Amino acid sequence: MARSYVREGKSWVVDIDITAFFDEVKHDILLDQMSQKIEDKQVLDLIRRYLKTGIMMNGKVERRDKGTPQGSPITPLTQKITFISL
């Protein structure tokens, strides 16, 4: 939504609801952004594995293809890069 305001020529976005925003982050786009600054392939692989780690739901592990983990060691990094790449 904020992007559409910027495309319309607006300079300010005052109120945006980011509920579940980090649940929709696409891993490939986020990792591509990170690879522009991080050259170490082992670090990128570790971040990729954190992102892809499944989530325990009702006793079953569900795969994750999008979204960033909340409360994990890489949460501050992924959130900062996600907002910078908007």
Side-chain angles (χ1 to χ4, degrees):
M1 187 107 164
R3 275 192 194 155
S4 64
Y5 293 139
V6 171
R7 285 187 198 121
E8 291 172 9
K10 306 269 191 288
S11 300
W12 293 84
V13 176
V14 176
D15 187 22
I16 294 275
D17 182 5
I18 63 168
T19 303
F21 173 81
F22 293 103
D23 295 340
E24 299 298 320
V25 173
K26 292 181 176 30
H27 293 169
D28 56 339
I29 295 171
L30 179 60
L31 288 166
D32 181 60
Q33 291 292 319
M34 289 181 171
S35 70
Q36 311 241 343
K37 297 286 184 182
I38 301 171
E39 295 180 11
D40 189 321
K41 300 294 182 195
Q42 289 180 318
V43 171
L44 290 169
D45 186 55
L46 180 62
I47 293 169
R48 182 187 57 74
R49 286 190 275 154
Y50 259 112
L51 291 172
K52 299 286 184 188
T53 299
I55 301 171
M56 181 75 74
M57 300 288 285
N58 300 320
K60 294 182 180 180
V61 177
E62 294 185 15
R63 283 193 47 145
R64 182 171 49 201
D65 295 321
K66 63 181 179 178
T68 61
Q70 301 302 298
S72 80
I74 66 164
T75 300
L77 173 66
T78 58
Q79 289 180 353
K80 183 175 182 176
I81 290 175
T82 301
F83 275 123
I84 289 171
S85 64
L86 284 177

